[in-house]
Amino acid sequence: MSLALDKCHKRWYELKHIPVYDDLWNAVANGIRFPLVTAGRRSGKTEKAKRFIAKQAMKNPNETYFVAAPTREQAKKIFWKDLKLLTFSPTHARQPSETELIIYLPNGTEIHVLGLDKPQRIEGKNWTGGVIDEIADVKGEAVNANIMPALDTFDPSRPDYKVWCWFTGVPDGLNHYYDMCQKAETGETTDSKVFYWKSAEVLAPDVIEAAKKRLSKMEFKQEYEASFETATGRVYSDYSKLNYTSEEIKPHEQLCWMHDQNYTPLSSAVGVRRGDSLDELYLLDEIVLESAVSRQSAMEFVDKFKDHDNKHVLIYGDPAGKAGEKHSQESAYTQIEEVLRLNGWRWTRRLKNAHPPIVDRQNDVRAMIQNAAGEVRLFVNTSKAPTVHKGLATTTLKKGSTFQEEESYGQHITTAIGYMVNYEYSRNKPFIGRLK
């Protein structure tokens, strides 16, 4: 057996079996056009979809299948390499098209890999069936304007045939994917059915516990329990008395200074990291100035902490505060650093090159406030940092949005905290799980 063929055989490794897999595998044969596969992260839903497409393609000659994801890059990353192995493409006379992302099988069947960032890519073909992964991240308007019409296209050579499609993905708020699942579960649509399982049915307990420690309760329920969660009202709804502290900064501790530039009031939080692994954040002071610039904020800082022993400060904040530096112009951060230098301070910038997505920043802070395991790792001295306290307690979402925040007095200081937490404690740092 050749090395390439052996690699293909090994790609068909044995999967852990759970009962719902059987129902899903037989769904299309039982007349369900649109299986809605709502399952937790890393629980096998995409792997089952890949194998189903590969089996169908190898079994049925002269058919045309597709697999798709929100973008072409995602689709290629998710499907391309695996489907070539699962269909034994190294043995095929006609090799796959690496530019068009099409696999040609010896029986005349084709598998097309599509990105739905240009939803027109799914149009114009008489498909046999397909899979759309991460359907919650596909634009809702594309589902109705492009995807469903393409799946309903009449094929005169097979007038009674109806194209099927697996829609797979983790829930993401109450969006179009939620609507699709609700219509299936209430019987409004009779050609769809929801197939649901939690990650814990497949992944090992220690992997689930590790996820609970990384994620907020809401995000864990969404990502690992496939629950349709939506953020409503307060952005940081778990912030409570559990997060209050009377702790104060100790002279030897390294200060973490967090900024959100170019807003009024000019707000910055001051905290320290504690715990065996510095995994706890104590927000113990703040600097909030009306109608001020960054230099004035720095002058307040060096005066407030003139007697602090540790004169090496870590600076976090808004990447936009670096504006002008490429052209040797003064920026918000160079203003701050000049004042620090003149007053005997050393500093280290800890800024990302670009803004993290707002929802990532919010979820990182939520996971510090209280994670899904019930652990609290963010604490606020409510008397010395009253704006921090007010911001975390009262910042709300814009009506109808799942992440955009209403402007308020304490909102910007929570943004500053988010930049720091995203830099040091991001729950999206690489993590490798294992199966049971």
Side-chain angles (χ1 to χ4, degrees), residues 83-152:
L83 282 177
K84 287 191 291 183
L85 292 174
L86 289 168
T87 57
F88 297 86
S89 68
T91 67
H92 298 169
R94 186 178 181 183
Q95 287 298 290
S97 169
E98 297 289 339
T99 54
E100 297 296 324
L101 299 185
I102 302 173
I103 297 172
Y104 302 99
L105 281 81
N107 62 3
T109 289
E110 298 176 359
I111 302 175
H112 295 239
V113 177
L114 309 174
L116 296 175
D117 43 341
K118 294 182 179 178
Q120 298 83 0
R121 288 176 175 139
I122 201 170
E123 299 174 346
K125 279 274 187 185
N126 289 321
W127 302 109
T128 304
V131 169
I132 300 178
D133 197 23
E134 302 292 0
I135 182 61
D137 294 331
V138 174
K139 292 180 180 178
E141 55 268 28
V143 174
N144 294 321
N146 306 95
I147 295 170
M148 299 311 295
L151 299 178
D152 287 335

Side-chain angles (χ1 to χ4, degrees), residues 211-217 219-220 224 367 371-372 427:
K212 286 182 178 180
K213 291 177 182 292
R214 288 199 326 277
L215 305 178
S216 67
K217 289 188 288 185
E219 194 175 13
F220 178 81
Y224 284 81
N371 62 25
R427 77 219 187 289

Side-chain angles (χ1 to χ4, degrees), residues 77-367:
K77 184 177 180 180
I78 293 169
F79 291 110
W80 186 238
K81 181 179 177 181
D82 285 338
L83 282 177
K84 287 191 291 183
L85 292 174
L86 289 168
T87 57
F88 297 86
S89 68
T91 67
H92 298 169
R94 186 178 181 183
Q95 287 298 290
S97 169
E98 297 289 339
T99 54
E100 297 296 324
L101 299 185
I102 302 173
I103 297 172
Y104 302 99
L105 281 81
N107 62 3
T109 289
E110 298 176 359
I111 302 175
H112 295 239
V113 177
L114 309 174
L116 296 175
D117 43 341
K118 294 182 179 178
Q120 298 83 0
R121 288 176 175 139
I122 201 170
E123 299 174 346
K125 279 274 187 185
N126 289 321
W127 302 109
T128 304
V131 169
I132 300 178
D133 197 23
E134 302 292 0
I135 182 61
D137 294 331
V138 174
K139 292 180 180 178
E141 55 268 28
V143 174
N144 294 321
N146 306 95
I147 295 170
M148 299 311 295
L151 299 178
D152 287 335
T153 298
F154 177 73
D155 182 356
S157 67
R158 294 197 291 187
D160 296 325
Y161 186 78
K162 294 182 178 180
V163 181
W164 52 266
C165 181
W166 284 26
F167 294 96
T168 68
V170 170
D172 187 10
L174 306 187
N175 60 5
H176 56 280
Y177 191 28
Y178 171 80
D179 292 338
M180 293 166 69
C181 291
Q182 282 294 296
K183 289 177 180 178
E185 292 188 325
T186 60
E188 186 176 340
T189 54
T190 57
D191 54 2
S192 303
K193 183 177 178 180
V194 176
F195 295 86
Y196 164 83
W197 63 90
K198 297 180 181 181
S199 299
E201 296 180 56
V202 177
L203 297 177
D206 62 320
V207 175
I208 298 299
E209 288 306 310
K212 286 182 178 180
K213 291 177 182 292
R214 288 199 326 277
L215 305 178
S216 67
K217 289 188 288 185
M218 186 182 79
E219 194 175 13
F220 178 81
K221 289 177 68 177
Q222 175 177 289
E223 297 292 318
Y224 284 81
E225 295 185 348
S227 173
F228 283 98
E229 299 291 317
T230 182
T232 58
R234 290 171 53 203
V235 176
Y236 303 109
S237 57
D238 287 331
Y239 180 72
S240 69
K241 291 181 179 180
L242 295 174
N243 302 102
Y244 301 172
T245 184
S246 59
E247 287 286 319
E248 297 187 10
I249 296 171
K250 296 176 174 62
H252 71 278
E253 291 185 294
Q254 185 167 46
L255 301 181
C256 301
W257 193 14
M258 307 156 220
H259 299 265
D260 188 23
Q261 305 287 2
N262 305 319
Y263 290 99
T264 296
L266 188 61
S267 306
S268 58
V270 181
V272 296
R273 301 172 70 192
R274 293 180 181 171
D276 293 338
S277 303
L278 299 180
D279 58 349
E280 295 177 347
L281 175 61
Y282 284 75
L283 301 169
L284 304 180
D285 215 323
E286 64 182 39
I287 298 172
V288 180
L289 301 176
E290 298 285 349
S291 304
V293 296
S294 297
R295 180 177 286 104
Q296 293 167 310
S297 181
M299 292 168 64
E300 287 288 325
F301 177 88
V302 297
D303 181 67
K304 177 175 279 200
F305 297 105
K306 60 181 179 291
D307 296 326
H308 190 69
D309 291 344
N310 189 332
K311 289 289 198 291
H312 182 190
V313 60
L314 303 178
I315 299 175
Y316 304 87
D318 180 0
K322 296 184 291 184
E325 292 182 5
K326 285 186 177 180
H327 305 287
S328 301
Q329 297 174 0
E330 190 177 56
S331 74
Y333 292 111
T334 57
Q335 286 184 30
I336 290 170
E337 291 160 0
E338 177 65 10
V339 174
L340 291 173
R341 184 184 64 80
L342 292 173
N343 286 272
W345 283 79
R346 294 181 297 118
W347 65 89
T348 299
R349 284 194 198 183
R350 292 194 172 178
L351 311 177
K352 291 194 170 182
N353 293 327
H355 291 83
I358 293 173
V359 70
D360 282 357
R361 172 165 49 77
Q362 291 169 338
N363 280 329
D364 288 336
V365 174
R366 288 175 181 134

